[in-house]
Amino acid sequence: MSDAAPAEDLHDAEHWRAGLYALIGRLFFEGPDSVLLAQLRVNASGGEGAEDTPLGLAWQQLVSASASADVVALQHEHAMLFVGVGKTPVTPFTSAYVPGVSPERHLLLLKQQLEQWGLASDAASTMPADHISGVCDTLRHLILRNESVVAQKNFFEKFIYSQGIAFCKKLIAAAPSHFYIEVAQFTQVFLAVEREGFDMISLPT
């Protein structure tokens, strides 16, 4: 994907949003390493998420889960959940969670949108466009390059929210350990907060 545009023009809240999309994408792309777990423990405040808000509470639960997490065990769990040969317990590809539209059609629409923005993955990319990490990374890029909030909302509504919620629900039902359940629950709350913010924006008809 292309590099993000001038970050210095962004408000702190936008950096925070972009950072959370990056974190969620990273956790679903591969199991966390010791550096990432340490960063979670250090950033225990969760940025703008006050402890008495749903997002703040979900953040604290994720941080708590990271405190006792074992790197090898989490990387093994990630592989078992998302990467195994054949059918995995939980598919991370969002095209699988779109009712009434074939995965192929949804993926085509996603790729067409990415091409319009110059964000299409190159042939060497290891991340399919419809991977949950891929769509999170796309929204992160839109934020960091100051793309309009209307464009962000359009992408969020078409390619992230409903698919992400369905993915998280399936993961919560399937995850064998405390950590990835907490990742999924945090993601659900974050997506709900994002939707509330986007709902205050009127799209052109």
Side-chain angles (χ1 to χ4, degrees), residues 40-177:
L40 283 170
R41 296 163 190 155
V42 168
N43 293 288
S45 65
E48 296 187 357
E51 291 186 13
D52 59 349
T53 67
L55 186 59
L57 291 171
W59 175 261
Q60 291 298 321
Q61 290 169 348
L62 177 58
V63 170
S64 178
S66 72
S68 58
D70 175 77
V71 170
V72 174
L74 291 186
Q75 291 180 347
H76 175 71
E77 179 189 348
H78 180 277
M80 293 296 293
L81 283 168
F82 308 121
V83 187
V85 177
K87 185 171 182 175
T88 57
V90 182
T91 179
F93 302 113
T94 55
S95 294
Y97 302 98
V98 185
V101 179
S102 71
E104 294 78 12
R105 174 62 177 166
H106 182 78
L107 180 57
L108 175 61
L109 293 173
L110 173 58
K111 288 181 175 180
Q112 288 173 341
Q113 179 62 80
L114 296 179
E115 288 172 359
Q116 289 177 17
W117 283 327
L119 294 175
S121 299
D122 58 36
S125 175
T126 59
M127 185 189 299
D130 62 336
H131 194 289
I132 185 68
S133 300
V135 294
C136 285
D137 193 55
T138 296
L139 208 304
R140 179 182 71 86
H141 275 276
L142 297 182
I143 295 168
L144 291 180
R145 72 184 203 174
N146 291 317
E147 198 70 49
S148 74
V149 180
V150 170
Q152 292 180 39
K153 177 177 181 178
N154 265 318
F155 186 82
F156 179 84
E157 292 289 348
K158 291 179 181 178
F159 300 111
I160 295 182
Y161 179 71
S162 62
Q163 300 95 318
I165 293 296
F167 163 74
C168 287
K169 287 181 178 179
K170 189 165 185 178
L171 178 54
I172 290 168
S177 85

Side-chain angles (χ1 to χ4, degrees), residues 6-20 143-144:
E8 61 269 21
D9 296 332
L10 297 172
H11 297 299
D12 288 344
E14 296 303 282
H15 281 296
W16 174 77
R17 287 179 62 222
L20 289 185
I143 295 168
L144 291 180

